[in-house]
Amino acid sequence: MKETIYIFSNGRLRRKDNSLIFETEDGQKKFMPIENIKEIYLFGEADINTKALNFLAQKEIVLHHFNYYGYYSGSFYPREHYNSGYMILKQAEYYINEAERLFIAKKFIEGASKNSLKILKYYNRRGKDLTKQINEIERLIIELKNYDTVDKAMAIEGQIKQAYYQGLDIIVNSDEFRFEERSKRPPKNRINALISFSNSMIYTYCLSEIYKTHLDPRIGYLHTTNFRRFTLNLDVAEIFKPVIGDRTILSLLNKGIIKPNDFEDKLEGVYLKETGRKKFLQAMEERLKQTIKHSKLNRQVSYRRLIRLELYKLEKHLIGEEEYEPFVMDW
């Protein structure tokens, strides 16, 4: 089975025969047979030449790069091998048509909101009083149906997220990990640092999965398609942030695996240290490999595979084969 490669050290990535070699600054070498690689994540400062990039492109491997603070910098996205002019035209057609775009955008919000609701209800059943947040989100999901523009729908999405995030402090219940309010670039506290890092990872997982489909990542529906490089991965990620990311965060905090010393204060913000990123990514990989019984397919499917299946559903919607319904956790 192909693996995701995470590289934290500084060094040089190069090709050697049918393998990639990462050579650290102190001369250590790690050989990575190309046939075993799904995608590569670079968290350190790495030199890479065109020979290595051409090799990645030839083998259809996406490379994602993050800066020193764990912020997503960009991706090497090889020439699409599943290019479909027809699908690009359908994506553009559904984007330009305001009613069609609104339908898809609302479905992304609906899926994200219902998955957030599932998490709150799970902890509510286990003694955390989240009734207020649950009732508010249920009310807003109903209200979402009444809005006739994407901007108005996104305003409701913001209110839903605010209610959801208010529940995090009740769930975690720790003075060392207080959410308080959402803050980005820079995150102002530890939970915000975890959420920002988690969201960035899910954006890139979705981008890698889009690469394996006929869809073009530059045409999204919830997030406005403009001069930004990619938007569709941001849309699909909304559904999986609670399912994969937030559940991983809550598990790490409740088990005491992530600790205050896994963070550092810098540039008026709070960031995960390398120790914290490694702990998080190990747990995230375990989550992605976990399987659930897919009710429609009637078989076990990994969480990583669920992302691809979501994209296939969107493709079917765009070609008029089957109306899109977002994935919602069934527990």
Side-chain angles (χ1 to χ4, degrees):
M1 182 179 292
K2 293 189 175 185
E3 295 184 352
T4 299
I5 304 297
Y6 300 98
I7 299 174
F8 290 89
S9 305
N10 296 336
R12 183 176 179 226
L13 184 67
R14 59 187 178 88
R15 177 181 181 178
K16 175 67 175 176
D17 299 326
N18 206 39
S19 293
L20 288 172
I21 297 177
F22 188 80
E23 186 173 355
T24 63
E25 291 177 324
D26 59 5
Q28 296 182 42
K29 295 180 181 179
K30 177 178 176 59
F31 286 79
M32 298 173 285
I34 197 73
E35 303 301 334
N36 295 343
I37 300 174
K38 179 190 297 180
E39 65 205 336
I40 298 174
Y41 285 81
L42 291 177
F43 292 95
E45 296 295 324
D47 296 327
I48 182 169
N49 59 23
T50 54
K51 185 177 180 180
L53 289 175
N54 286 333
F55 194 36
L56 291 174
Q58 176 189 337
K59 297 299 182 178
E60 301 167 356
I61 295 171
V62 180
L63 181 149
H64 305 290
H65 182 250
F66 290 70
N67 67 16
Y68 173 80
Y69 298 103
Y71 280 141
Y72 171 66
S73 298
S75 298
F76 172 68
Y77 197 76
R79 180 175 57 85
E80 292 92 340
H81 57 295
Y82 287 123
N83 261 352
S84 166
Y86 175 72
M87 186 58 72
I88 291 174
L89 287 173
K90 296 306 290 186
Q91 280 186 257
E93 176 188 324
Y94 274 65
Y95 182 85
I96 293 169
N97 185 308
E98 292 184 9
E100 296 288 4
R101 181 192 170 192
L102 179 64
F103 176 86
I104 298 173
K106 280 186 175 182
K107 286 296 181 181
F108 287 137
I109 295 172
E110 179 187 323
S113 303
K114 288 183 176 179
N115 283 322
S116 298
L117 200 55
K118 289 278 188 176
I119 290 176
L120 295 183
K121 287 183 175 180
Y122 172 85
Y123 284 99
N124 194 62
R125 291 194 300 268
R126 282 153 180 77
K128 304 287 187 179
D129 186 5
L130 297 159
T131 306
K132 177 182 176 183
Q133 289 77 20
I134 290 169
N135 290 341
E136 176 67 2
I137 292 174
E138 288 179 335
R139 181 187 69 80
L140 290 168
I141 290 174
I142 294 172
E143 191 174 328
L144 175 65
K145 299 175 182 178
N146 301 323
Y147 286 86
D148 56 1
T149 69
V150 173
D151 286 343
K152 291 177 181 178
M154 289 191 74
I156 288 292
E157 181 198 30
Q159 294 177 51
I160 290 171
K161 284 185 176 179
Q162 184 178 3
Y164 171 64
Y165 285 139
Q166 286 173 358
L168 293 185
D169 279 336
I170 298 172
I171 294 170
V172 177
N173 191 27
S174 168
D175 290 335
E176 294 175 330
F177 292 95
R178 301 293 299 171
F179 177 78
E180 296 172 344
E181 63 180 7
R182 186 72 176 106
S183 55
K184 313 173 188 177
R185 292 191 175 273
K188 297 297 185 183
N189 56 43
R190 294 164 185 152
I191 288 191
N192 271 287
L194 279 169
I195 291 173
S196 291
F197 185 66
S198 173
N199 288 352
S200 293
M201 293 304 301
I202 294 172
Y203 295 146
T204 56
Y205 292 137
C206 290
L207 182 59
S208 290
E209 292 302 320
I210 291 171
Y211 183 68
K212 304 296 184 182
T213 72
H214 296 98
L215 293 165
D216 191 307
R218 293 168 295 185
I219 304 174
Y221 299 93
L222 178 59
H223 295 84
T224 302
T225 295
N226 48 27
F227 295 106
R228 185 187 300 179
R229 176 85 171 119
F230 304 123
T231 52
L232 184 60
N233 60 317
L234 306 183
D235 287 359
V236 178
E238 293 298 326
I239 293 168
F240 294 99
K241 286 178 187 178
V243 175
I244 299 171
D246 295 349
R247 289 178 67 201
T248 300
I249 290 170
L250 293 172
S251 175
L252 287 169
L253 293 178
N254 289 334
K255 293 176 181 177
I257 296 172
I258 290 279
K259 303 180 184 300
N261 60 10
D262 288 315
F263 300 81
E264 60 182 343
D265 295 345
K266 277 194 174 183
L267 300 178
E268 300 182 353
V270 179
Y271 302 88
L272 271 171
K273 293 180 183 176
E274 184 177 318
T275 57
R277 291 201 290 266
K278 286 182 175 179
K279 288 178 181 179
F280 181 85
L281 290 173
Q282 181 180 348
M284 180 74 93
E285 272 296 310
E286 291 172 359
R287 176 78 62 188
L288 289 168
K289 291 175 182 176
Q290 284 180 359
T291 61
I292 62 169
K293 182 69 172 292
H294 195 286
S295 56
K296 189 171 182 179
L297 298 178
N298 197 31
R299 61 180 172 85
Q300 295 295 121
V301 174
S302 71
Y303 281 98
R304 180 68 183 248
R305 185 66 178 174
L306 282 174
I307 299 174
R308 181 86 63 85
L309 293 175
E310 202 68 15
L311 297 168
Y312 290 157
K313 288 193 295 181
L314 183 59
E315 284 188 339
K316 287 182 178 180
H317 178 84
L318 294 172
I319 63 175
E321 187 174 313
E322 185 178 334
E323 187 171 279
Y324 174 68
E325 285 294 332
F327 169 77
V328 176
M329 290 185 289
D330 188 22
W331 51 261

